[in-house]
Amino acid sequence: MTRCSPAVEQITARAYRVPTETPEADGTLEWDSTTIVVAHIQAGPVRGLGWTYADAACAPLIERTLAPAVLGAPVANVPACWAAMQRAIRNLGRAGLVSCALSAVDIALWDASARALDVPLSRLLGRVHDNVAVYGSGGFTTMTDEELADQLEDWAVRQRIPRVKIKIGEAWGTRVEKDLKRVQLARYVLGSAAALFVDANGAYSVGQARRLLQPLRDADVTWFEEPVSSDDLAGLASLRTPGGPDIAAGEYGYDLPCFARLMPAVDCLQIDVTRCGGYTEWRRAAALAAAANREVSAHCAPNLSAHAAAATPNFRHIEWFADHDRLENLLFDGCLDPAGGTVTPSPAAAGHGLALRADVAAEYPA
């Protein structure tokens, strides 16, 4: 052990549940709260922070299974720690909650390692961009036309974000006419001020999604996320057309083989740093995409994603998801401001520069 690389002494995890302001929904799911599982790592005088958006069951998994695999290891040896955790979860299965728990610890390890060296996390990862693009994301299917218009105006006009995304595929794709009316409303509100993206969350059949391509082109929609289930690789691939919109998927990528399977089926690969296995797996998935001449886009967890984004050459944009933006600004100090359409991770603050407001978080036990 050296002064710059203290050993991991303790790993703790806590879950918090934050209600949404109103009930929300997309094409295939409804919710009224968001659960975040926060992991802390103590390594000598250094403390690292990571989190995932998943069930509270991740907290005991972190403390009972993942923590013992890395205790005593030099905090600078993050890939070795990741490999040790990967071995520890062999019989639990990698996808789903296990990968989310792994992600939270990996993020905390990278944060602690950067803080031990007193360097920004983006620099430790290998920064290539001074700033990275973002898009406003929300447009839930539960919104009234007035609420949707107000949110779009907030992003495009008040915050000057030139890219926005709304949800379609309401009620598992059974309200297509309403979906198209919401798209038309969004384009009317935005005018030419912003690019318009849509996300069906896998609600449509291949036939439905194919019939929507032309109406979406007519509204100048340039991004069609999960038009069908991300498990339907052939369906996704069949919807890729020279006239666009770009087909995107990957938010449910929990390991490298999943991203490898998705690559031929999408125009842009999405990666969620809080699900995929943390920054360690993010870097490998981004390299896979680069080898296939694909860009990557960050799914949610915007303030954590920004640091990986700045260190990814083939990066397109971060999803600045309304729920996570509100929650992260509530629970953490050091959050970034997406106004203007880009964010710039601090070139000076050590680690990712974020700190949990423990007193506020205590008000939201899961």
Side-chain angles (χ1 to χ4, degrees), residues 43-67:
V46 175
R47 192 165 171 84
L49 168 69
W51 66 82
T52 185
Y53 291 100
D55 191 85
C58 287
L61 177 60
I62 289 170
E63 295 189 340
R64 298 172 190 172
T65 303
L66 299 180

Side-chain angles (χ1 to χ4, degrees), residues 158-240:
R158 291 185 282 273
Q159 296 192 63
R160 297 172 289 106
I161 300 174
R163 307 158 207 90
V164 299
K165 186 177 79 178
I166 67 171
K167 301 290 190 180
I168 59 173
E170 184 175 348
W172 287 90
T174 60
R175 299 174 184 173
V176 176
E177 290 303 315
K178 184 177 178 183
D179 293 336
L180 289 175
K181 287 179 180 178
R182 296 179 81 249
V183 170
Q184 292 162 2
L185 171 64
R187 177 46 70 202
Y188 174 78
V189 171
L190 295 171
S192 59
L196 178 58
F197 304 166
V198 297
D199 182 358
N201 289 97
Y204 297 125
S205 68
V206 174
Q208 282 180 305
R210 186 176 292 114
R211 288 188 290 274
L212 282 172
L213 289 177
Q214 189 56 54
L216 293 179
R217 290 189 198 105
D218 293 342
D220 197 22
V221 171
T222 56
W223 171 278
F224 196 177
E225 184 175 329
E226 284 197 311
V228 298
S229 168
S230 56
D231 291 329
D232 185 359
L233 301 180
L236 287 171
S238 73
L239 296 169
R240 296 180 64 208

Side-chain angles (χ1 to χ4, degrees), residues 16 25 28 56 72 74 76 83 87 141 183 194 240 244 253-254 328-329 334 337 341 352 356:
Y16 307 99
T28 56
R87 291 191 293 271
T141 58
V183 170
R240 296 180 64 208
Y254 293 108
E328 290 175 7
N329 276 283
D337 182 359
H352 51 47
L356 179 70

